[in-house]
Amino acid sequence: MSDTILSINGLTKHFGRIRAVEELTLEVKRSEVYGILGPNGSGKTTTLGMILGVVHATRGTYMWFGEVPTHDSRKRIGAILEQPIFYPYLSAAANLQIIARIKDSKDHDIDNSLTLAGLYDRRHSMFRTFSYGMRQRLAIAAALLCKPEVLILDEPTNGLDPQGIAEVRDMIQNVAKTGMTVILASHLLDEVQKTCTHVCVLEKGKKLFSGKVDDVLNDTIMVEIAAANMELLKTTLKAFQKVTEFSEEHDKLIVKLATDTTAEDLNAFLFGQGVILSHLTLHKKSLEKYFLELIDKQS
Amino acid sequence: MIRLLHIEFKKILSYKTFWVLTAFYIIALALALFLSQHIVTKIVEQAAKTSPIPLPRISIFVLPKAWQNLSYLAGYFNIFLAIVVITLICNEFTFRTIRQNIVSGMSRTQYLLSKLYLILVISIAATLLLFLITLILGVIHSHSLSAASVFNVKLQFVFGYFLETFSYLIFAFFLAFLLKRTGLTIITLLFYTSIEQIIVAWKIPSAWVKVMPMKAFARLVHFPSIPLPEVNGQSLKFQDYVGLSDALIAVLYAAVMVTIIYLYLKKADL
């Protein structure tokens, strides 16, 4: 089995003059929990729509499981786009039966899925009569129904109360523990930080960053430093306990600092040890701030 | 095909509106067919009072002629079936379930096929209903009943009715697909039907009348001939068979509309 679940290459979607997604390239590997983070209108849902076959790309390609995608690849994916979509006049059970028949899979247990979603007692009620939280739970149960290889969730906690949010996040983490690949679109930084292993940040349809959540989104500060005597700098750094790790890159060192440490602390320490820096810049540190500013600009 | 039909049946099995509309159709059709003889007799009796020539008694239910008579009448009730089809198609757009169906793993072609199969099944069911009602009424009212009068060449009108229903429902499917709103589509269908009738009544060449959509579907079962006595040496006689060119025109219409739906569905963002 291929390790690459999804690869997107130069995917672009224009709606008339609106550039919803612009030259998006990314790769999702097996068992990753991949967050697509961006403010509302940044192209998250359009991107999901394209890789799920309901929106035609203007340019670019994508592959599922290393193959050119067909409707059969979608049968291996469990997905919710935007709000939960069901036949409102049919029961919860009937709605799940329709999905199981579309997926043409014997590998499902509707009663069990409904029980897990806490909806077994309401299985004969029409979907129309469900509260928002129940609808969301049914949608997740539907996405997981035929044991997909990939779970795609679009703003899964939107409109839920705090308890519902906690439940959904627990569910994602439990699913991820089983090794299932998860792709999660969200405008909530906090949500992506808490649940995802990898992240791609979108703004106005363009990719800003992508990588491991730990690298790009955590609270630690990263600084880029250099000194005339690099060897001395390195040995001195090793003695500083507030440095969690560092790596060399183009004659400079990228240093990761512990959460309670600032660039000033580092500078003061090194100066105290007789190492004078010729270069010091904050590196990528402010993605979180940057993202929050992005959200602020929007609202 | 079976799997796609299974999915469609699941969608309508516990959909109350579908069954209510279907019940309306069955009740209206059955009532109209059962009462048709009574109504025609009344009309003829009224007309006979002022008619200069003696009017014959018209027997609608006598086989094999009943096949044409009742097929013709049944055509008027297809609007109920069109409303059923429009509701089912538009619901998929209103509730965006078409999108979820595709996301779940249907191809766009399969989606189109599933709807075509459903329309085919509805048309076959309506044809069977007509066949049964006609058979029952015919057997009760025909004086001299023989296998030859039941399984007569006139049975072609039942097939004509099937083709009429199927092509008309494809037209309803086509409108529903373009307009996507149940109410709007039904009103458009009714509006178009009356507009076409006005155009047809407006003395346009008969070759054109033949190819007007509604007329093309309705022409599959012509108005039955009435056994009136000859007036000035001319008897009132209508086409008493399903015309091959009429059938071809209806099939062609259906094919063109399905092709347009297919091309649209292939290109559309859902």
Side-chain angles (χ1 to χ4, degrees):
Chain A
M1 266 203 284
S2 156
D3 240 21
T4 301
I5 294 287
L6 168 70
S7 58
I8 295 181
N9 199 348
L11 209 58
T12 300
K13 178 66 184 180
H14 296 169
F15 292 108
R17 290 176 60 196
I18 299 161
R19 289 152 182 265
V21 177
E22 195 73 37
E23 294 292 330
L24 182 66
T25 297
L26 60 85
E27 197 162 273
V28 180
K29 294 208 185 305
R30 189 171 296 280
S31 298
E32 284 180 359
V33 180
Y34 199 98
I36 299 176
L37 179 63
N40 293 327
S42 58
K44 300 184 300 286
T45 300
T46 307
T47 303
L48 295 183
M50 283 190 281
I51 61 177
L52 289 170
V54 288
V55 176
H56 290 291
T58 307
R59 272 197 308 279
T61 56
Y62 64 94
M63 299 226 284
W64 278 112
F65 315 106
E67 293 162 11
V68 175
T70 66
H71 64 276
D72 283 324
S73 20
R74 293 199 293 276
K75 290 179 184 167
R76 299 160 67 182
I77 303 167
I80 316 169
L81 270 181
E82 295 171 290
Q83 74 273 52
I85 296 176
F86 292 100
Y87 294 90
Y89 43 80
L90 299 182
S91 69
N95 270 297
L96 293 189
Q97 281 161 3
I98 289 172
I99 289 169
R101 278 180 188 168
I102 290 176
K103 295 216 177 272
D104 202 12
S105 155
K106 299 263 178 293
D107 194 11
H108 63 265
D109 182 344
I110 286 170
D111 284 351
N112 187 40
S113 296
L114 286 167
T115 307
L116 288 177
L119 294 170
Y120 186 75
D121 293 337
R122 296 290 303 274
R123 66 193 182 284
H124 297 309
S125 306
M126 279 191 273
F127 175 71
R128 195 188 359 243
T129 65
F130 282 12
S131 71
Y132 199 89
M134 293 161 80
R135 288 171 186 216
Q136 199 75 19
R137 293 208 302 276
L138 184 66
I140 292 170
L144 289 169
L145 185 63
C146 298
K147 305 194 175 55
E149 290 167 57
V150 191
L151 175 66
I152 297 184
L153 301 169
D154 188 4
E155 305 283 5
T157 57
N158 234 3
L160 296 183
D161 57 18
Q163 194 205 338
I165 292 173
E167 279 172 17
V168 167
R169 288 185 185 165
D170 280 351
M171 185 280 305
I172 297 172
Q173 271 151 359
N174 288 337
V175 163
K177 270 182 213 155
T178 67
M180 191 186 289
T181 311
V182 181
I183 299 174
L184 168 79
S186 177
H187 68 281
L188 302 171
L189 179 69
D190 160 69
E191 180 160 285
V192 170
Q193 268 176 321
K194 280 185 179 145
T195 50
C196 297
T197 57
H198 292 70
V199 66
C200 149
V201 182
L202 289 186
E203 187 203 4
K204 290 182 185 153
K206 287 191 184 134
K207 182 167 88 173
L208 289 182
F209 318 94
S210 65
K212 284 189 179 176
V213 168
D214 289 344
D215 289 348
V216 290
L217 281 187
N218 59 12
D219 297 329
T220 60
I221 294 169
M222 288 166 91
V223 288
E224 199 178 82
I225 54 175
N229 187 341
M230 291 296 278
E231 289 310 310
L232 178 64
L233 177 60
K234 276 192 242 173
T235 35
T236 318
L237 269 183
K238 278 173 191 158
F240 188 40
Q241 286 172 351
K242 301 286 185 180
V243 170
T244 49
E245 63 178 269
F246 66 88
S247 58
E248 201 164 354
E249 215 174 76
H250 308 298
D251 316 325
K252 293 184 183 90
L253 296 181
I254 311 288
V255 181
K256 211 187 246 185
L257 297 177
T259 38
D260 58 344
T261 314
T262 65
E264 278 171 22
D265 296 337
L266 174 71
N267 200 6
F269 172 79
L270 289 171
F271 193 77
Q273 300 290 315
V275 181
I276 301 187
L277 293 176
S278 59
H279 174 92
L280 187 151
T281 48
L282 283 172
H283 188 72
K284 276 189 184 173
K285 158 253 164 186
S286 51
L287 178 59
E288 175 164 359
K289 275 193 183 147
Y290 186 86
F291 185 76
L292 292 175
E293 279 164 19
L294 206 70
I295 303 270
D296 270 352
K297 261 192 284 173
Q298 291 267 324
S299 53
Chain B
M1 180 177 181
I2 300 296
R3 182 176 72 93
L4 294 178
L5 267 178
H6 247 98
I7 295 169
E8 289 307 306
F9 287 154
K10 198 76 220 176
K11 288 178 188 173
I12 56 179
L13 199 65
S14 52
Y15 180 30
K16 212 193 268 167
T17 307
F18 171 82
W19 293 110
V20 170
L21 288 174
T22 305
F24 282 165
Y25 166 73
I26 295 173
I27 293 167
L29 180 70
L31 265 183
L33 296 188
F34 277 94
L35 296 179
S36 58
Q37 179 68 65
H38 183 73
I39 294 163
V40 168
T41 308
K42 277 263 187 251
I43 293 169
V44 172
E45 275 171 8
Q46 280 295 320
K49 286 179 188 164
T50 52
S51 171
I53 51 168
L55 293 179
R57 191 184 139 72
I58 298 171
S59 302
I60 292 180
F61 298 147
V62 175
L63 287 168
K65 278 204 147 188
W67 292 126
Q68 181 178 5
N69 297 338
L70 298 191
S71 296
Y72 174 79
L73 280 176
Y76 283 99
F77 294 86
N78 282 348
I79 181 71
F80 285 94
L81 295 177
I83 290 172
V84 170
V85 167
I86 289 168
T87 308
L88 291 176
I89 302 293
C90 291
N91 275 351
E92 300 263 10
F93 287 101
T94 309
F95 303 123
R96 308 194 76 184
T97 40
I98 176 171
R99 180 178 166 129
Q100 190 63 42
N101 281 180
I102 304 288
V103 165
S104 297
M106 258 197 189
S107 74
R108 289 165 194 243
T109 310
Q110 283 173 341
Y111 187 84
L112 173 59
L113 283 176
S114 71
K115 296 299 178 207
L116 289 181
Y117 293 154
L118 180 67
I119 289 173
L120 189 66
V121 168
I122 292 176
S123 308
I124 292 172
T127 308
L128 281 177
L129 182 67
L130 168 72
F131 178 84
L132 283 177
I133 294 177
T134 310
L135 193 64
I136 293 167
L137 289 173
V139 167
I140 295 172
H141 293 91
S142 300
H143 305 299
S144 57
L145 200 65
S146 65
S149 65
V150 175
F151 300 102
N152 191 270
V153 63
K154 295 267 178 204
L155 258 176
Q156 66 178 290
F157 286 106
V158 176
F159 177 73
Y161 169 79
F162 163 74
L163 210 54
E164 174 186 357
T165 307
F166 182 72
S167 49
Y168 178 67
L169 292 184
I170 293 287
F171 183 72
F173 177 26
F174 175 73
L175 281 185
F177 219 89
L178 293 187
L179 300 171
K180 300 184 176 65
R181 297 266 175 276
T182 312
L184 181 67
T185 310
I186 293 171
I187 289 167
T188 306
L189 178 64
L190 296 176
F191 179 73
Y192 176 76
T193 309
S194 41
I195 287 289
E196 196 188 293
Q197 265 163 2
I198 293 168
I199 295 173
V200 167
W202 198 22
K203 286 186 181 173
I204 59 167
S206 63
W208 292 14
V209 171
K210 233 179 138 168
V211 295
M212 300 294 283
M214 293 297 137
K215 208 68 188 155
F217 307 144
R219 280 173 60 92
L220 286 163
V221 181
H222 276 261
F223 188 79
S225 295
I226 303 165
L228 287 177
E230 292 187 1
V231 180
N232 302 331
Q234 285 187 321
S235 74
L236 206 54
K237 202 160 170 11
F238 300 104
Q239 186 175 316
D240 58 356
Y241 56 91
V242 177
L244 185 63
S245 67
D246 293 333
L248 283 178
I249 290 169
V251 169
L252 196 68
Y253 258 118
V256 167
M257 287 184 294
V258 170
T259 308
I260 293 173
I261 296 171
Y262 175 77
L263 294 176
Y264 172 89
L265 190 59
K266 275 278 167 194
K267 270 196 68 175
D269 289 336
L270 300 168

